[in-house]
Amino acid sequence: MRRRWDRVDATLVDSRFVERKLYSSERSGSFQIWEYMVDVPGPSGGAPVRLTFKEKTFKVRGAPERGDVVPVLVNAKRTKAMFDLSDPRIDGYGWIVTQEKRRKERDDARFEARRAGREPTPDPEED
């Protein structure tokens, strides 16, 4: 458990492939492990600190690119960091759940508008 770790936005400096691993024998397939380098704001607004950490690709949404702002958890001493996988900007599964929720809300609103006999308002995301 990462108690007392701060949630901050960091800048992705670089990333590199580390290794490919196989799932357990019950499931076929593989996943990759990548190492990420980020610049984390220093404590109390001090100079940024550069940290590295490893993460499995199936947990990370998309492939963050150099210069992207990414959500991370960082310890108070600024010696360890990891992606904040509770943030849908980086959490692959959380992003899918968020998108499904938005789609359901949009579909329900459209359906109920038509049930009430009025034309639904257009959704800007559908353009």
Side-chain angles (χ1 to χ4, degrees):
M1 198 78 165
R2 307 288 193 239
R3 295 177 190 229
R4 298 187 186 154
W5 281 42
D6 297 326
R7 287 178 164 81
V8 299
D9 284 340
T11 303
L12 184 67
V13 176
D14 207 353
S15 61
R16 68 178 176 178
F17 173 77
V18 176
E19 66 182 310
R20 179 180 303 275
K21 291 201 169 198
L22 298 175
Y23 287 116
S24 67
S25 60
E26 299 169 6
R27 296 171 42 188
S28 63
S30 65
F31 61 92
Q32 297 175 354
I33 297 177
W34 284 71
E35 185 172 21
Y36 297 93
M37 182 185 304
V38 295
D39 281 342
V40 177
S44 303
V49 177
R50 187 161 286 178
L51 300 173
T52 62
F53 58 92
K54 294 178 182 174
E55 192 64 71
K56 298 173 178 111
T57 54
F58 62 84
K59 292 184 178 183
V60 179
R61 176 176 167 234
E65 297 183 12
R66 254 183 305 185
D68 285 353
V69 174
V70 293
V72 297
L73 297 173
V74 63
N75 66 350
K77 293 181 181 180
R78 301 298 202 253
T79 57
K80 296 179 182 178
M82 62 185 278
F83 282 131
D84 180 3
L85 294 174
S86 67
D87 190 317
R89 293 179 294 167
I90 199 74
D91 174 26
Y93 178 74
W95 182 80
I96 290 169
V97 169
T98 301
Q99 291 301 100
E100 288 173 351
K101 181 179 176 185
R102 285 184 186 153
R103 182 175 33 248
K104 180 176 179 355
E105 289 171 355
R106 182 192 66 220
D107 291 349
D108 289 350
R110 184 190 68 238
F111 190 87
E112 292 304 323
R114 288 195 172 130
R115 178 185 294 195
R118 54 184 203 280
E119 196 57 33
T121 56
D123 187 0
E125 291 181 14
E126 287 184 353
D127 292 338

